[in-house]
Amino acid sequence: MVSSVLQGRAEQLATDALSWLVDQARPSTGGLAWPNRPSQDESDPMLYSGAAGIVLTLLEANGHFGDERYAELALRGGRGLVAVVDDGWDNSSLYFGLTGIAVALHAIHEQLGDRDAGAAARRALDTVRRRFDGHRWGPQVDLLGGNAGIALGALAVGDPDLALAAVTPFVATAEPTRHGVQWETREGRIARQHHISHGTLGVAAALTAVARATNRSDLLELALAATDDVVSRDEAGPDGFLVAHSDPPDRPELIDRYNFGWCQGPAGDAQVFRLLQREPGQPRFARLVDRCWYTVTHCGLPRRLRPGFWDNNGHCCGTAGVLALACDLLVDETGNNGDVGGFADVLVADLADRATRDAAGCRWSNVEHRATPSVLEPRTGWAMGSAGIVRELLRYARIDTHRDPGYRVLWPDQPR
């Protein structure tokens, strides 16, 4: 159970944050566009940090409140994204490129019946397909910036052929390890990353999803081998689950050895394990989800125990991404995760305490302890900004009510 008082507070925070997001919109070719942050002159169309992620949040708000203003804003944002597609945005990936833009346009088509958006989503993926050299689209093959994410985005838009083409190179490039396989997920980088955003588990998620969609058992076997490699690196068993960021350590002067959020820690690892636990004969992954949750709830977050430990409110490596997992577990109603609702309350209360609220609405600032000043400008988008936080506040507000607690918008990296 979650706090009914906090549910109302979360909904009001989301409403105020939506007001701030709407105020950041700027006219674009035929529609609306958004910057990554208010001081930025250039518009950002990306799923990670710009308009594509904001459009999905507006669709979530429309479904949640039944308010046609948000639908109209999503349509106008979609028209801005259509112009980006037709101008030939030069990145093809899910979080930074045309695939993510296609996911947002497809969602507009599916939920609001806008045929132009649907046609533009198909054009975007046609461009992505033409750019494929048979191996990759660029230096990255990971979930955020390369093949793995393009596969998940293609599935979300209903293009399993492109998804299969995107993951097929992983069969030949898998590197055997003592316990499974891993990949070079960024060209020329010696370090091998392990988690969902840039590492082995992101590839495993793509392989699992494509295996299910195309009935390819060999791809599932490869995903399981990849997961076995990561599980073998756990340092927190038998109750918890914690794997280092990378081996050998990637830029240790900049990157902490251990992270706890969605991108590089157990909050994201659990999402891959949730996907795999739905495969026949894989009950062990339910226990791994429980172990991830144990570590997330016992590591100290959302307290800021030291500089760099937990400085982000956002979805990618902050509190909103952990709240997403809490909402998922509440909807799943599986496993032995303890008082999930109680910890979700803690996360929402922390987001409420850290919000900046004034006449302009509500938004959140993150901290970069290595920079001066350390408090960063509020951002608009999904990964580090208000859009990703709003989405999870609205989902939290629907838990234990008569409203649908499931996804209104399915992010490509999370199972339904």
Side-chain angles (χ1 to χ4, degrees):
M1 298 289 289
V2 299
S3 165
S4 58
V5 173
L6 277 173
Q7 283 177 301
R9 191 178 183 189
E11 194 169 64
Q12 187 59 56
L13 279 171
T15 300
D16 293 344
L18 285 163
S19 295
W20 182 79
L21 274 175
V22 170
D23 282 347
Q24 306 313 308
R26 301 170 180 177
S28 71
T29 305
L32 293 176
W34 280 264
N36 184 328
R37 51 191 183 274
S39 64
Q40 189 177 42
D41 292 331
E42 185 178 357
S43 297
D44 184 338
M46 295 184 284
L47 177 60
Y48 188 85
S49 54
I54 294 168
V55 161
L56 290 176
T57 292
L58 291 168
L59 291 173
E60 188 87 35
N62 176 59
H64 181 90
F65 293 107
D67 189 332
E68 290 302 314
R69 290 180 304 162
Y70 298 123
E72 177 59 28
L73 287 164
L75 287 169
R76 293 173 65 192
R79 287 194 284 272
L81 291 175
V82 169
V84 172
V85 170
D86 293 337
D87 286 345
W89 185 255
D90 62 2
N91 189 299
S92 296
S93 69
L94 175 60
Y95 281 91
F96 311 122
L98 284 178
T99 302
I101 293 171
V103 168
L105 289 168
H106 179 73
I108 292 172
H109 171 66
E110 289 286 295
Q111 296 188 41
L112 303 179
D114 186 81
R115 294 182 179 180
D116 289 342
R122 293 188 294 274
R123 291 199 301 278
L125 287 193
D126 286 344
T127 299
V128 171
R129 183 180 285 102
R130 288 195 300 271
R131 291 174 175 174
F132 186 43
D133 68 2
H135 300 282
R136 56 174 71 212
W137 280 266
Q140 292 173 255
V141 297
D142 56 17
L143 190 146
L144 260 66
N147 293 47
I150 288 171
L152 291 171
L155 288 180
V157 181
D159 192 337
D161 292 338
L162 177 58
L164 181 59
V167 299
T168 296
F170 290 123
V171 176
T173 58
E175 302 170 351
T177 66
R178 182 178 177 184
H179 296 282
V181 297
Q182 62 182 10
W183 287 271
E184 177 192 58
T185 53
R186 188 179 184 99
E187 191 173 27
R189 185 162 290 174
I190 296 173
R192 298 296 182 258
Q193 296 190 26
H194 307 309
H195 300 280
I196 192 171
S197 60
H198 296 296
T200 300
L201 285 182
V203 176
L207 288 166
T208 302
V210 176
R212 180 183 298 169
T214 61
N215 197 28
R216 286 282 299 270
S217 60
D218 59 322
L219 298 181
L220 179 60
E221 290 173 4
L222 190 60
L224 293 170
T227 307
D228 288 341
D229 174 78
V230 177
V231 171
S232 75
R233 301 174 188 273
D234 168 54
E235 300 178 28
D239 293 327
F241 188 83
L242 185 64
V243 172
H245 173 276
S246 51
D247 292 296
D250 185 20
R251 295 167 292 170
E253 73 282 4
L254 295 175
I255 300 173
D256 286 350
R257 180 73 174 150
Y258 302 99
N259 296 260
F260 298 92
W262 172 84
C263 57
Q264 299 280 9
D269 300 347
Q271 298 290 9
V272 183
F273 298 150
R274 287 179 65 238
L275 189 64
L276 281 161
Q277 78 181 34
R278 288 159 171 75
E279 294 300 319
Q282 301 298 331
R284 64 187 174 113
F285 289 105
R287 173 60 182 152
L288 284 166
V289 173
D290 293 344
R291 288 169 56 187
C292 287
W293 185 247
Y294 180 91
T295 293
V296 164
T297 55
H298 287 77
C299 67
L301 66 86
R303 288 175 291 149
R304 297 185 174 179
L305 301 178
R306 57 178 172 77
F309 171 71
W310 201 252
D311 293 339
N312 193 342
N313 301 297
H315 204 295
C316 188
C317 54
T319 303
V322 180
L323 180 59
L325 178 59
C327 292
D328 293 334
L329 296 177
L330 286 165
V331 172
D332 284 349
E333 296 181 348
T334 60
N336 184 27
N337 300 298
D339 184 11
V340 179
F343 196 71
D345 293 345
V346 170
L347 299 171
V348 171
D350 187 75
L351 287 170
D353 290 344
R354 298 190 187 281
T356 298
R357 302 182 72 181
D358 54 26
C362 173
R363 62 271 189 203
W364 288 264
S365 297
N366 299 314
V367 173
E368 175 48 79
H369 68 281
R370 295 163 295 197
T372 303
S374 60
V375 177
L376 302 177
E377 183 180 4
R379 302 204 174 197
T380 59
W382 172 82
M384 302 292 186
S386 293
I389 297 172
V390 166
R391 194 276 177 128
E392 301 313 329
L393 289 172
L394 292 179
R395 291 187 60 216
Y396 170 89
R398 290 201 298 276
I399 300 293
D400 291 339
T401 71
H402 296 297
R403 288 175 288 184
D404 174 20
Y407 292 130
R408 295 191 184 281
V409 175
L410 177 64
W411 290 97
D413 55 295
Q414 292 176 310
R416 187 176 295 279

